[in-house]
Amino acid sequence: MPDVRVICAIGRSGQLGLDGGMPWEGCPERVYTEDVERFFEITRGHVLIAGPKTVASFPYFARKDRTIVEIRSADDPQTVLESFGERVVYIGGGPAVWDVYARYVRHWDINTLPYDGAADTWFDPAWLLAGGTTQR
Ligand SMILES: NC(=O)c1ccc[n+]([C@@H]2O[C@H](COP(=O)([O-])OP(=O)(O)OC[C@H]3O[C@@H](n4cnc5c(N)ncnc54)[C@H](OP(=O)(O)O)[C@@H]3O)[C@@H](O)[C@H]2O)c1
């Protein structure tokens, strides 16, 4: 079974997404660009699996130095994860994906950004406690 992880960024009250993108998209402050840089640095060389909208949001260059795989609701999570052997696998979201895969996650890396605005997609703290029965 792989080492299953999550890296994500949330606003001050758990904002995750807005209109298919990050709620803070276009915010020029360094803290937001640093977050994107950190995401690509930490996932480099590893597997990144995510739902179709999240995969579509990754720039083309990101495919060169990490393995990006689109997952679908028809896929069996255990079979998906086992197919990556002992690699490090990041579950990229969105929320419907984390609802199902949170139970396999051992390590959550959550960057809280200084964003106070609108969102249509939210982080669910219950995901953090979902792994109790499946931890190695
Ligand atoms: N802030 C962050 O760090 C962060 C990270 C990720 C995403 N986001 C934001 O979240 C939003 C996109 O998320 P989203 O959830 O709307 O779309 P998404 O990325 O396409 O993920 C949801 C889709 O994944 C598929 N899926 C794959 N495996 C699944 C499973 N086992 N159970 C259920 N569904 C599964 C489903 O599509 P099918 O039924 O068609 O297969 C589902 O509709 C965007 O706004 C994005 O920017 C933010």
Side-chain angles (χ1 to χ4, degrees):
M1 193 66 167
D3 178 348
V4 185
R5 299 175 171 230
V6 168
I7 177 168
C8 65
I10 62 176
R12 280 204 173 106
S13 45
Q15 299 95 324
L16 266 178
L18 179 65
D19 297 331
M22 300 293 225
W24 42 86
E25 223 158 82
C27 289
E29 290 87 352
R30 184 77 189 116
V31 68
Y32 299 103
T33 49
E34 258 170 14
D35 177 66
V36 175
E37 286 165 13
R38 188 170 173 276
F39 175 88
F40 286 119
E41 192 181 305
I42 286 176
T43 59
R44 186 174 300 124
H46 299 309
V47 178
L48 178 55
I49 67 175
K53 283 192 220 158
T54 301
V55 165
S57 75
F58 297 136
Y60 184 73
F61 74 79
R63 294 173 187 273
K64 279 190 287 189
D65 48 7
R66 61 194 58 61
T67 307
I68 296 180
V69 176
E70 182 183 287
I71 50 172
R72 304 307 301 264
S73 46
D75 300 334
D76 172 55
Q78 182 100 17
T79 308
V80 168
L81 293 173
E82 282 174 358
S83 74
F84 298 111
E86 297 296 309
R87 291 186 71 181
V88 175
V89 176
Y90 281 92
I91 314 293
V97 168
W98 286 324
D99 279 344
V100 173
Y101 283 81
R103 61 193 292 264
Y104 300 99
V105 176
R106 194 167 64 84
H107 179 123
W108 289 84
D109 181 324
I110 304 161
N111 191 9
T112 307
L113 295 168
Y115 174 82
D116 284 318
D120 57 21
T121 310
W122 299 83
F123 187 87
D124 181 355
W127 293 328
L128 303 177
L129 302 178
T133 55
T134 50
Q135 301 295 309
R136 289 181 298 173

